[in-house]
Amino acid sequence: MVNYLSSSFVYTKIANLILWFYADVRYGLPYGAILILSALLIPEPTYSGPELVTYFRGPQVLEDELKHHKNSTYIVCLYAAWHPACVNFAPVFAELSASYSLENLKFGKLDVGRYAESATKYKVLDGPTSRQLPTMILFCNGVEKMRRPQADNTGKLQKFLFSKDNVKAAFDLDGIYQECKEKLAAAKSVKKTA
């Protein structure tokens, strides 16, 4: 709901600007200046709660991490810092990482807006009208198992709503969490007996 309110406030400000210019340019110019100043001086609040996310600086860093932790499961979010859908999804991803992280279940983010070669490598369009941002990829044992959003048989991108419940259901996070927890417990019991 907050996302819809935020968008509606932006459109309301734009409509008011047009109306002020229509009424009188002398009213529209100061109102436009106030809008620009307020946007520059008072940015939108960002999520500052708990998160257990590793930020990767390029595709090679992610590849090295996947090779180094072969027995780990990674859920990686490919995002662009300037994309509205990615900004709206950031708190959800952080909350999921805080709830589900284990030693062998890790969450990571890779900024494809900053590292364009990452977008090419993982076949994600990073333009302003891209419907592939954000993209979540599940890596098990260093191999991609699934991603959202994904393309169907014809190559058309299937729409995916990035909400907490949808991500949990699509990736079966509860099942993955239990599986990783059992593997972790088995590995610890093997270390104790050895």
Side-chain angles (χ1 to χ4, degrees):
M1 189 66 181
V2 173
N3 300 334
Y4 295 115
L5 285 174
S6 175
S7 296
S8 67
F9 289 146
V10 169
Y11 292 128
T12 302
K13 290 175 187 175
I14 293 170
N16 279 327
L17 180 64
I18 292 169
L19 290 174
W20 281 114
F21 267 113
Y22 183 70
D24 192 350
V25 174
R26 292 177 293 174
Y27 297 136
L29 289 175
Y31 183 75
I34 290 170
L35 286 180
I36 291 170
L37 281 174
S38 65
L40 292 174
L41 298 176
I42 309 168
E44 278 193 51
T46 57
Y47 179 77
S48 59
E51 69 176 7
L52 296 169
V53 177
T54 304
Y55 289 87
F56 299 110
R57 303 202 183 281
Q60 191 56 45
V61 177
L62 174 58
E63 289 297 319
D64 292 344
E65 185 73 18
L66 292 173
K67 287 177 186 172
H68 186 262
H69 297 285
K70 275 214 177 252
N71 295 330
S72 293
T73 300
Y74 267 93
I75 298 175
V76 178
C77 177
L78 305 177
Y79 73 104
W82 48 263
H83 199 278
C86 297
V87 172
N88 294 334
F89 181 61
V92 174
F93 191 75
E95 186 179 338
L96 289 171
S97 72
S99 300
Y100 288 97
S101 282
L102 293 169
E103 288 178 37
N104 59 348
L105 176 57
K106 301 178 182 194
F107 288 77
K109 288 181 100 172
L110 178 59
D111 188 350
V112 295
R114 179 177 287 170
Y115 305 105
E117 66 275 8
S118 304
T120 306
K121 179 173 177 55
Y122 293 106
K123 298 177 180 85
V124 174
L125 297 176
D126 61 345
T129 59
S130 175
R131 295 183 344 177
Q132 286 184 293
L133 290 175
T135 294
M136 284 183 59
I137 303 176
L138 173 68
F139 292 98
C140 293
N141 302 322
V143 178
E144 180 181 331
K145 293 295 182 187
M146 71 179 322
R147 71 169 52 203
R148 293 291 185 268
Q150 66 182 6
D152 61 9
N153 305 7
T154 63
K156 184 179 177 187
L157 197 64
Q158 295 176 342
K159 191 171 184 169
F160 185 77
L161 178 64
F162 283 94
S163 69
K164 183 178 178 182
D165 293 332
N166 285 353
V167 170
K168 284 170 64 174
F171 287 90
D172 187 26
L173 280 182
D174 292 324
I176 292 172
Y177 180 79
Q178 286 302 325
E179 183 182 319
C180 289
K181 201 172 181 180
E182 290 168 5
K183 286 180 183 177
L184 196 60
K188 286 182 180 180
S189 67
V190 167
K191 284 183 183 179
K192 284 183 182 179
T193 58

